[in-house]
Amino acid sequence: AQKVTQAQTEISVVEKEDVTLDCVYETRDTTYYLFWYKQPPSGELVFLIRRNSFDEQNEISGRYSWNFQKSTSSFNFTITASQVVDSAVYFCALRGNAGNMLTFGGGTRLMVKP
Amino acid sequence: DVKVTQSSRYLVKRTGEKVFLECVQDMDHENMFWYRQDPGLGLRLIYFSYDVKMKEKGDIPEGYSVSREKKERFSLILESASTNQTSMYLCASSSHIAGLKTQYFGPGTRLLVL
């Protein structure tokens, strides 16, 4: 069985602070895919990133960066110099190699205050 | 750009009514999904379809049915709506090609059953 845990249900920061959202996963698959989605107040889930299990290189996209560590089964997401527009619920998700279905974490609500 | 649309953003129905939620995608994706999202429970998969007229039950199919008569359209049906089906419903689609299975989501439908 697969499981994704986002232990932080809510985080509140002040604009320009850096913030890290944690994601820990469990799977028996040797090949799998990890995802992050953003859900702004409008409701739509916006795809942010996908990583393969065999690619542990960290990724940076503007103010966003992701740290994938297989040894600790974690795929953490950092926002540098946070902005009010970053306020949203962020979901981490996992998909096994052969399957089509995603297993989602419970989500982390990020509030960035001006 | 992938586009997934849902027929309604907000819907109010009465207990016992039959409810249809429609989802359309324009990317010729084989896979389509219906999720519900509830506070504290994250996203849970209701049904999944991997081809026209094909479907698989997800984690919480009870009380729901689906229809996929055309590749681009996936309908979720509540045969007799109940108050515990008040929720946010999200549709998603993805390719079935390995490496291209990222799910893209629609804007969601907030359903209130009175």
Side-chain angles (χ1 to χ4, degrees):
Chain A
Q2 297 178 333
K3 187 178 177 182
V4 177
T5 302
Q6 294 179 253
Q8 306 146 308
T9 53
E10 248 181 55
I11 301 176
S12 182
V13 298
V14 176
E15 213 170 15
K16 297 185 184 173
E17 280 186 37
D18 298 347
V19 58
T20 296
L21 310 182
D22 297 333
C23 173
V24 174
Y25 62 91
E26 295 174 29
T27 180
R28 290 180 185 167
D29 288 347
T30 53
T31 301
Y32 49 89
Y33 298 84
L34 294 161
F35 301 80
W36 276 96
Y37 287 88
K38 173 183 180 180
Q39 187 179 39
S42 59
E44 180 175 351
L45 263 76
V46 178
F47 165 71
L48 295 177
I49 189 171
R50 181 189 70 199
R51 296 310 300 258
N52 303 325
S53 55
F54 43 83
D55 180 4
E56 286 193 71
Q57 193 169 7
N58 291 333
E59 181 149 345
I60 298 174
S61 175
R63 295 184 298 106
Y64 294 172
S65 62
W66 290 269
N67 182 4
F68 176 30
Q69 293 206 349
K70 238 172 163 174
S71 59
T72 56
S73 297
S74 65
F75 186 43
N76 296 338
F77 173 29
T78 298
I79 302 175
T80 304
S82 60
Q83 300 176 2
V84 173
V85 292
D86 296 327
S87 297
V89 180
Y90 291 86
F91 289 95
C92 180
L94 166 73
R95 179 173 61 77
N97 184 44
N100 293 290
M101 303 191 197
L102 287 174
T103 299
F104 282 88
T108 297
R109 180 178 298 278
L110 174 65
M111 291 173 287
V112 182
K113 298 176 183 176
Chain B
D1 251 12
V2 175
K3 193 148 178 78
V4 181
T5 57
Q6 295 182 229
S7 50
S8 306
R9 293 301 303 273
Y10 301 93
L11 216 49
V12 180
K13 296 291 181 181
R14 295 205 175 275
T15 301
E17 277 192 73
K18 191 168 186 175
V19 181
F20 291 88
L21 303 182
E22 302 280 334
C23 175
V24 178
Q25 50 93 5
D26 67 357
M27 282 302 293
D28 202 34
H29 282 165
E30 292 77 17
N31 300 331
M32 295 188 76
F33 307 81
W34 274 107
Y35 295 87
R36 66 176 279 177
Q37 182 181 8
D38 300 288
L41 297 176
L43 274 80
R44 294 178 292 168
L45 181 66
I46 304 171
Y47 266 100
F48 155 59
S49 169
Y50 52 92
D51 203 347
V52 174
K53 297 191 188 294
M54 307 305 288
K55 63 185 179 186
E56 278 189 25
K57 292 180 180 179
D59 300 318
I60 50 164
E62 297 78 19
Y64 302 94
S65 62
V66 290
S67 172
R68 184 115 181 254
E69 296 297 320
K70 293 184 178 180
K71 190 176 185 180
E72 68 272 16
R73 189 179 297 267
F74 191 34
S75 302
L76 180 69
I77 303 155
L78 287 64
E79 294 289 342
S80 177
S82 62
T83 54
N84 64 12
Q85 291 178 311
T86 290
S87 187
M88 168 77 139
Y89 290 88
L90 290 156
C91 175
S93 73
S94 75
S95 168
H96 70 179
I97 298 171
L100 295 176
K101 290 187 181 181
T102 298
Q103 289 185 26
Y104 296 93
F105 285 80
T109 296
R110 293 187 189 275
L111 173 65
L112 172 63
V113 182
L114 299 173

